[in-house]
Coordinates of all heavy atoms in Angstrom, one line a residue:
Chain A
E20 N -15.7 -1.1 -14.4 CA -15.5 0.2 -13.6 C -15.5 -0.2 -12.1 O -16.4 -0.8 -11.6 CB -16.7 1.1 -13.9 CG -16.6 1.8 -15.2 CD -17.6 3.0 -15.3 OE1 -18.5 3.1 -14.4 OE2 -17.6 3.7 -16.3
L21 N -14.5 0.4 -11.5 CA -14.3 0.2 -10.0 C -14.4 1.5 -9.4 O -13.9 2.5 -9.8 CB -13.0 -0.5 -9.7 CG -12.6 -1.7 -10.6 CD1 -11.2 -2.2 -10.2 CD2 -13.6 -2.8 -10.5
R22 N -15.1 1.5 -8.2 CA -15.4 2.8 -7.6 C -14.8 2.9 -6.2 O -14.7 1.9 -5.5 CB -17.0 3.0 -7.4 CG -17.4 4.2 -6.7 CD -18.9 4.1 -6.4 NE -19.3 5.2 -5.4 CZ -20.0 6.3 -5.8 NH1 -20.3 6.5 -7.0 NH2 -20.3 7.2 -4.9
C23 N -14.3 4.1 -5.9 CA -13.7 4.4 -4.6 C -14.3 5.7 -4.0 O -14.3 6.7 -4.7 CB -12.2 4.6 -4.7 SG -11.4 5.1 -3.2
D24 N -14.8 5.6 -2.8 CA -15.3 6.8 -2.1 C -14.4 7.0 -0.9 O -14.4 6.3 0.1 CB -16.8 6.5 -1.6 CG -17.5 7.8 -1.3 OD1 -16.9 8.8 -1.1 OD2 -18.7 7.7 -1.2
P25 N -13.6 8.1 -1.0 CA -12.6 8.3 0.0 C -13.2 8.8 1.3 O -14.3 9.2 1.4 CB -11.6 9.3 -0.6 CG -12.5 10.1 -1.5 CD -13.5 9.1 -2.0
I26 N -12.3 8.9 2.4 CA -12.7 9.5 3.6 C -13.0 11.0 3.4 O -12.3 11.6 2.7 CB -11.6 9.3 4.7 CG1 -11.4 7.8 5.0 CG2 -11.9 10.1 5.9 CD1 -10.2 7.5 5.9
S27 N -14.1 11.4 4.0 CA -14.5 12.8 3.8 C -13.4 13.8 4.2 O -12.8 13.6 5.3 CB -15.8 13.1 4.6 OG -16.2 14.4 4.5
G28 N -13.1 14.7 3.3 CA -12.1 15.7 3.6 C -10.7 15.3 3.2 O -9.8 16.2 3.2
H29 N -10.5 14.1 2.8 CA -9.2 13.7 2.3 C -9.0 14.2 0.9 O -9.8 13.9 0.0 CB -9.1 12.1 2.3 CG -8.7 11.6 3.7 ND1 -8.3 10.3 3.9 CD2 -8.8 12.2 4.9 CE1 -8.1 10.2 5.2 NE2 -8.4 11.3 5.8
T30 N -7.9 14.9 0.6 CA -7.7 15.5 -0.7 C -6.9 14.6 -1.6 O -6.9 14.7 -2.8 CB -7.0 16.8 -0.5 OG1 -5.7 16.6 0.2 CG2 -7.8 17.8 0.3
A31 N -6.2 13.6 -1.0 CA -5.3 12.7 -1.9 C -6.0 11.4 -2.0 O -6.6 10.9 -1.0 CB -3.9 12.6 -1.3
L32 N -5.9 10.8 -3.2 CA -6.6 9.5 -3.4 C -5.6 8.7 -4.3 O -5.1 9.2 -5.3 CB -7.9 9.7 -4.1 CG -8.8 8.4 -4.3 CD1 -10.3 8.8 -4.2 CD2 -8.4 7.7 -5.6
Y33 N -5.4 7.4 -3.9 CA -4.5 6.5 -4.6 C -5.2 5.3 -5.1 O -6.1 4.8 -4.4 CB -3.4 6.1 -3.7 CG -2.4 7.1 -3.3 CD1 -2.7 8.1 -2.4 CD2 -1.1 7.0 -3.7 CE1 -1.8 9.0 -2.0 CE2 -0.1 7.9 -3.3 CZ -0.5 8.9 -2.5 OH 0.5 9.8 -2.1
W34 N -4.8 4.7 -6.2 CA -5.2 3.4 -6.6 C -3.9 2.5 -6.7 O -2.9 2.9 -7.2 CB -5.9 3.4 -8.0 CG -7.3 3.9 -8.0 CD1 -7.7 5.1 -8.3 CD2 -8.4 3.1 -7.7 NE1 -9.1 5.2 -8.3 CE2 -9.6 4.0 -7.9 CE3 -8.7 1.8 -7.4 CZ2 -10.9 3.5 -7.7 CZ3 -10.0 1.4 -7.2 CH2 -11.0 2.2 -7.4
Y35 N -4.1 1.3 -6.1 CA -3.0 0.3 -6.2 C -3.6 -1.0 -6.7 O -4.8 -1.2 -6.6 CB -2.4 0.0 -4.8 CG -1.6 1.2 -4.2 CD1 -2.2 2.2 -3.5 CD2 -0.2 1.2 -4.4 CE1 -1.4 3.3 -3.0 CE2 0.5 2.3 -3.9 CZ -0.1 3.3 -3.2 OH 0.7 4.3 -2.7
R36 N -2.8 -1.9 -7.1 CA -3.2 -3.2 -7.6 C -2.3 -4.2 -6.9 O -1.1 -4.0 -6.7 CB -3.0 -3.3 -9.1 CG -3.3 -4.7 -9.6 CD -3.4 -4.7 -11.1 NE -2.1 -4.6 -11.8 CZ -1.9 -4.7 -13.1 NH1 -3.0 -4.9 -13.9 NH2 -0.7 -4.5 -13.6
Q37 N -2.9 -5.3 -6.4 CA -2.2 -6.3 -5.7 C -2.6 -7.7 -6.3 O -3.7 -8.1 -6.1 CB -2.5 -6.3 -4.2 CG -1.6 -7.3 -3.4 CD -1.7 -7.1 -1.9 OE1 -2.8 -6.8 -1.4 NE2 -0.6 -7.3 -1.2
S38 N -1.6 -8.3 -7.0 CA -1.9 -9.6 -7.5 C -1.6 -10.6 -6.4 O -0.9 -10.3 -5.4 CB -1.0 -9.9 -8.7 OG -1.2 -8.9 -9.7
L39 N -2.1 -11.9 -6.6 CA -2.0 -12.9 -5.6 C -0.5 -13.1 -5.1 O 0.3 -13.4 -6.0 CB -2.6 -14.2 -6.1 CG -2.7 -15.3 -5.1 CD1 -3.7 -14.9 -4.0 CD2 -3.2 -16.6 -5.8
G40 N -0.3 -12.9 -3.8 CA 1.0 -13.2 -3.3 C 2.1 -12.1 -3.6 O 3.2 -12.3 -3.3
Q41 N 1.6 -11.0 -4.2 CA 2.5 -10.0 -4.6 C 2.3 -8.7 -3.7 O 1.4 -8.6 -2.9 CB 2.3 -9.6 -6.1 CG 2.5 -10.8 -7.0 CD 3.9 -11.3 -7.0 OE1 4.9 -10.6 -7.0 NE2 4.0 -12.6 -6.8
G42 N 3.3 -7.8 -3.9 CA 3.2 -6.5 -3.2 C 2.2 -5.6 -3.9 O 1.5 -5.9 -4.8
L43 N 2.1 -4.3 -3.4 CA 1.2 -3.4 -3.9 C 1.8 -2.6 -5.1 O 2.9 -2.0 -4.9 CB 0.7 -2.4 -2.8 CG -0.5 -2.8 -2.0 CD1 -0.1 -3.9 -1.1 CD2 -1.0 -1.6 -1.3
E44 N 1.2 -2.6 -6.2 CA 1.7 -1.9 -7.4 C 0.9 -0.6 -7.5 O -0.3 -0.5 -7.7 CB 1.5 -2.7 -8.6 CG 1.8 -2.1 -9.9 CD 1.4 -2.9 -11.1 OE1 0.8 -4.0 -10.9 OE2 1.7 -2.6 -12.3
F45 N 1.7 0.5 -7.5 CA 1.1 1.9 -7.6 C 0.5 2.0 -9.0 O 1.1 1.7 -10.0 CB 2.1 2.9 -7.4 CG 1.7 4.3 -7.8 CD1 0.9 5.1 -6.9 CD2 2.1 4.9 -9.0 CE1 0.5 6.4 -7.3 CE2 1.8 6.2 -9.4 CZ 0.9 6.9 -8.5
L46 N -0.7 2.6 -9.1 CA -1.4 2.8 -10.4 C -1.5 4.3 -10.7 O -1.0 4.8 -11.7 CB -2.8 2.2 -10.4 CG -2.8 0.6 -10.3 CD1 -4.2 0.2 -10.3 CD2 -2.0 0.0 -11.4
I47 N -2.2 5.0 -9.8 CA -2.5 6.4 -10.1 C -2.7 7.2 -8.8 O -3.2 6.6 -7.8 CB -3.7 6.6 -11.1 CG1 -3.9 8.0 -11.6 CG2 -4.9 6.1 -10.4 CD1 -4.9 8.2 -12.7
Y48 N -2.5 8.5 -8.8 CA -2.6 9.3 -7.6 C -3.3 10.6 -8.0 O -2.9 11.3 -9.0 CB -1.2 9.6 -7.1 CG -1.1 10.8 -6.2 CD1 -1.7 10.9 -5.0 CD2 -0.3 11.9 -6.6 CE1 -1.6 12.0 -4.1 CE2 -0.1 13.0 -5.8 CZ -0.8 13.0 -4.5 OH -0.6 14.1 -3.7
F49 N -4.3 11.0 -7.2 CA -5.0 12.3 -7.4 C -4.7 13.2 -6.2 O -4.8 12.7 -5.0 CB -6.5 12.1 -7.5 CG -7.0 11.3 -8.7 CD1 -7.1 10.0 -8.7 CD2 -7.3 12.0 -9.9 CE1 -7.5 9.3 -9.8 CE2 -7.7 11.3 -11.0 CZ -7.8 9.9 -10.9
Q50 N -4.5 14.4 -6.4 CA -4.3 15.4 -5.3 C -5.1 16.7 -5.7 O -4.6 17.4 -6.5 CB -2.8 15.7 -5.1 CG -2.6 16.8 -4.1 CD -3.3 16.7 -2.8 OE1 -3.3 15.6 -2.2 NE2 -4.1 17.7 -2.4
G51 N -6.2 16.9 -5.0 CA -7.0 18.1 -5.2 C -7.3 18.3 -6.7 O -7.7 17.4 -7.4
N52 N -7.1 19.5 -7.2 CA -7.3 19.8 -8.5 C -6.1 19.7 -9.5 O -6.2 20.0 -10.6 CB -7.9 21.3 -8.6 CG -9.2 21.4 -7.9 OD1 -10.0 20.6 -8.0 ND2 -9.4 22.6 -7.2
S53 N -5.0 19.2 -8.9 CA -3.8 19.0 -9.7 C -4.0 17.9 -10.7 O -4.8 17.0 -10.5 CB -2.6 18.7 -8.8 OG -2.4 19.8 -7.9
A54 N -3.2 17.9 -11.8 CA -3.2 16.8 -12.7 C -2.7 15.5 -12.0 O -1.8 15.5 -11.2 CB -2.2 17.1 -13.9
P55 N -3.4 14.4 -12.3 CA -3.1 13.2 -11.6 C -1.8 12.6 -12.0 O -1.3 12.9 -13.2 CB -4.2 12.3 -12.0 CG -4.8 12.8 -13.3 CD -4.6 14.3 -13.2
D56 N -1.1 11.9 -11.2 CA 0.1 11.2 -11.5 C -0.3 9.8 -12.0 O -0.7 8.9 -11.2 CB 1.0 11.1 -10.2 CG 2.3 10.3 -10.5 OD1 2.4 9.6 -11.6 OD2 3.1 10.2 -9.6

Side-chain angles (χ1 to χ4, degrees):
Chain A
E20 284 189 354
L21 312 179
R22 176 188 168 105
C23 173
D24 197 344
I26 293 172
S27 179
H29 281 194
T30 57
L32 187 149
Y33 291 71
W34 284 98
Y35 291 87
R36 176 169 72 174
Q37 188 172 32
S38 301
L39 187 64
Q41 303 298 311
L43 274 72
E44 176 188 4
F45 168 80
L46 298 178
I47 189 169
Y48 158 67
F49 295 90
Q50 171 51 49
N52 295 320
S53 301
D56 178 349

